[in-house]
Amino acid sequence: MARAITQERVAATVAAETSASLDPSDWGQFREIAHGLLDDMIAHIETIRQRPVWQRPSDEARERFARPLPNRPRDLGDVLDDVRTHIMPFATGNLHPLFMGWVHGAGTPIGMVAEIVAGGLNMNCGGRDHAGLVVEQQIVRWMSEALGYPCGASGLFLTGSSMANFVAVTIAKTEALGQSVRETGLRNCDRQLVAYTSAEAHSCIAQAMQLSGIGSANLRTVAVDDAGRMLPGALRDAIGQDRAKGLLPFLVVGTAGTVNTGAIDPLAEIAEIASREKLWFHVDGAIGALAVLSDSLRDLFAGIESSASVALDFHKWGQVPYDAGFLLVRDGDAQKRTFAQPAAYLQRGDRGLAAGETWPCDLGPDLSRGFRALKTWMTIEALGTDRIGGSIAHTCMLARHLAEALERHPAFQLKAPVALNIVCFGIRGADSEFTRNLVLDLQESGLAAPSWTTLDGELVVRCAIVNHRTTEADIDGFLDTLDRYLADRRFLPPGDRRSSS
Ligand SMILES: *Cc1c(COP(=O)(O)O)cnc(C)c1O
């Protein structure tokens, strides 16, 4: 009798354990369903050209995601059918060669496979002694090599350059005021910190000043030249004026590839000023820094090797799937001084799983973090920097091709020099309403997805060519689409005698 009860208990426990696990009960069936989805995703990327660049999520899709929290399991095949029907057709569009709206990378199938591995291994890359940290360190050394940094530099994957810029501002603040500022906060500081960036800098720099507690009112926006590059003389003057007022200049942020036009600040001159004035020189290289992988573009970034830190995005020109932002810091100890926090549960061992002196959680605000290094490593390892650099240079060539064609065209007018891969243009004789509608109509047509920006107070069409899939034929097709758009509306630019009928 007692024996029977024990056996019953064991059986009940086993049953409970089986149902408590979230693994599939039938691995064979799971494998088949998962392989089917992988095949569909590969086909989706392979045939991306045949679909609209973008379409608005359907009402049906929106309704599908307005349901209450489910408490019962559902067949995985059905769930994946929802993914196929209600998600895959309504993606951002950045895989498509005619997505040019924003600076978005297109990803690669290699990166997708890496995400399967990263998701499967489910590593926490905040710390401890495992391969995730080893791979991340490989990327730190590779980026040090590519950007001309010394060994001893430290680096960290973050969501994107917005976070990387914020972390850099925080390090610069801590270095300027000393580690005690981490405890006392800014109120005990007797002089007001001031930072400098160009008028064309990304808005996340101002936000980083806000988040760091310094305040964006203490960020000077230095004037730029006609090509959108910071004027070193204006930077020098601004620093001088602030010093005369008794303020404490501590940081200058240069941009390697501005978001509006792709302009590159004169990095070498800024580095020299920063060195003389003892400021932290941070480079926002979200768009441009990876162009150092191209032999033909590298020289445009001269001076980046003299910076104190660089933020960059592998998910833009590096074509690594989202998200993969990165920060490289010349003085690794400075990064650690800003972020390392003693905690009993994070004590290090001299061996075992808790080994390792510096963990990623000592270098930034994240503790738990995924394995972003893997998709980056696999992309670079499988493609090599020559191919990645080549695709970056190719997008710049396409931008020049587009710019030249627009300049030859009577209806269009270039609105900014093309420094890298971003082309801003206007339509002669059109008001901002017409320009706005053109952008929106093209996006909704699914034929192309440009965006807009404002330059000198004027709304202009903006094409950022980031996609490694985009070809010259795509650009020519885009020009035809623009022509047809104007012809359909019988739009004639001033002075053009051609008939549009
Ligand atoms: C995209 C971009 C950012 C922000 O980077 P995220 O990865 O989107 O956070 C910052 N600066 C510049 C110049 C950018 O183009």
Side-chain angles (χ1 to χ4, degrees), residues 116-124 371:
I116 295 178
V117 180
L121 292 175
N122 189 31
M123 295 157 90
N124 185 336
F371 194 4

mmCIF file of all heavy atoms in Angstrom, residues 116-124 371:
data_model
loop_
_atom_site.group_PDB
_atom_site.id
_atom_site.type_symbol
_atom_site.label_atom_id
_atom_site.label_comp_id
_atom_site.label_asym_id
_atom_site.label_seq_id
_atom_site.Cartn_x
_atom_site.Cartn_y
_atom_site.Cartn_z
ATOM 1 N N ILE A 116 18.747 33.554 -34.466
ATOM 2 C CA ILE A 116 18.195 32.262 -34.036
ATOM 3 C C ILE A 116 19.116 31.642 -32.988
ATOM 4 O O ILE A 116 18.666 31.163 -31.940
ATOM 5 C CB ILE A 116 18.046 31.301 -35.240
ATOM 6 C CG1 ILE A 116 17.016 31.843 -36.229
ATOM 7 C CG2 ILE A 116 17.659 29.901 -34.757
ATOM 8 C CD1 ILE A 116 16.836 30.976 -37.465
ATOM 9 N N VAL A 117 20.428 31.702 -33.262
ATOM 10 C CA VAL A 117 21.390 31.126 -32.320
ATOM 11 C C VAL A 117 21.362 31.901 -31.000
ATOM 12 O O VAL A 117 21.301 31.315 -29.915
ATOM 13 C CB VAL A 117 22.817 31.140 -32.918
ATOM 14 C CG1 VAL A 117 23.818 30.546 -31.933
ATOM 15 C CG2 VAL A 117 22.848 30.383 -34.241
ATOM 16 N N ALA A 118 21.365 33.241 -31.113
ATOM 17 C CA ALA A 118 21.379 34.068 -29.902
ATOM 18 C C ALA A 118 20.119 33.820 -29.078
ATOM 19 O O ALA A 118 20.181 33.688 -27.847
ATOM 20 C CB ALA A 118 21.501 35.536 -30.265
ATOM 21 N N GLY A 119 18.985 33.710 -29.767
ATOM 22 C CA GLY A 119 17.738 33.452 -29.056
ATOM 23 C C GLY A 119 17.740 32.053 -28.441
ATOM 24 O O GLY A 119 17.257 31.843 -27.329
ATOM 25 N N GLY A 120 18.292 31.107 -29.180
ATOM 26 C CA GLY A 120 18.333 29.733 -28.685
ATOM 27 C C GLY A 120 19.222 29.590 -27.460
ATOM 28 O O GLY A 120 18.853 28.943 -26.478
ATOM 29 N N LEU A 121 20.387 30.231 -27.504
ATOM 30 C CA LEU A 121 21.318 30.121 -26.372
ATOM 31 C C LEU A 121 20.874 30.991 -25.202
ATOM 32 O O LEU A 121 21.232 30.725 -24.055
ATOM 33 C CB LEU A 121 22.734 30.508 -26.808
ATOM 34 C CG LEU A 121 23.394 29.541 -27.797
ATOM 35 C CD1 LEU A 121 24.748 30.092 -28.241
ATOM 36 C CD2 LEU A 121 23.570 28.164 -27.170
ATOM 37 N N ASN A 122 20.133 32.045 -25.526
ATOM 38 C CA ASN A 122 19.563 32.912 -24.494
ATOM 39 C C ASN A 122 20.572 33.294 -23.416
ATOM 40 O O ASN A 122 20.348 33.093 -22.224
ATOM 41 C CB ASN A 122 18.348 32.205 -23.861
ATOM 42 C CG ASN A 122 17.572 33.134 -22.951
ATOM 43 O OD1 ASN A 122 17.523 34.345 -23.192
ATOM 44 N ND2 ASN A 122 16.986 32.584 -21.915
ATOM 45 N N MET A 123 21.708 33.804 -23.856
ATOM 46 C CA MET A 123 22.752 34.159 -22.895
ATOM 47 C C MET A 123 22.472 35.529 -22.286
ATOM 48 O O MET A 123 21.967 36.409 -22.964
ATOM 49 C CB MET A 123 24.105 34.188 -23.618
ATOM 50 C CG MET A 123 24.506 32.832 -24.115
ATOM 51 S SD MET A 123 25.660 32.942 -25.471
ATOM 52 C CE MET A 123 27.183 32.931 -24.580
ATOM 53 N N ASN A 124 22.868 35.679 -21.034
ATOM 54 C CA ASN A 124 22.812 37.003 -20.418
ATOM 55 C C ASN A 124 24.220 37.571 -20.454
ATOM 56 O O ASN A 124 25.111 37.094 -19.756
ATOM 57 C CB ASN A 124 22.287 36.897 -18.986
ATOM 58 C CG ASN A 124 22.089 38.275 -18.362
ATOM 59 O OD1 ASN A 124 22.723 39.253 -18.779
ATOM 60 N ND2 ASN A 124 21.223 38.352 -17.375
ATOM 61 N N PHE A 371 22.750 38.951 -26.522
ATOM 62 C CA PHE A 371 24.010 38.634 -27.196
ATOM 63 C C PHE A 371 24.088 39.377 -28.537
ATOM 64 O O PHE A 371 24.128 38.768 -29.592
ATOM 65 C CB PHE A 371 24.056 37.111 -27.395
ATOM 66 C CG PHE A 371 25.398 36.539 -27.773
ATOM 67 C CD1 PHE A 371 26.546 37.314 -27.846
ATOM 68 C CD2 PHE A 371 25.511 35.174 -28.053
ATOM 69 C CE1 PHE A 371 27.767 36.760 -28.190
ATOM 70 C CE2 PHE A 371 26.726 34.610 -28.402
ATOM 71 C CZ PHE A 371 27.851 35.397 -28.469
#
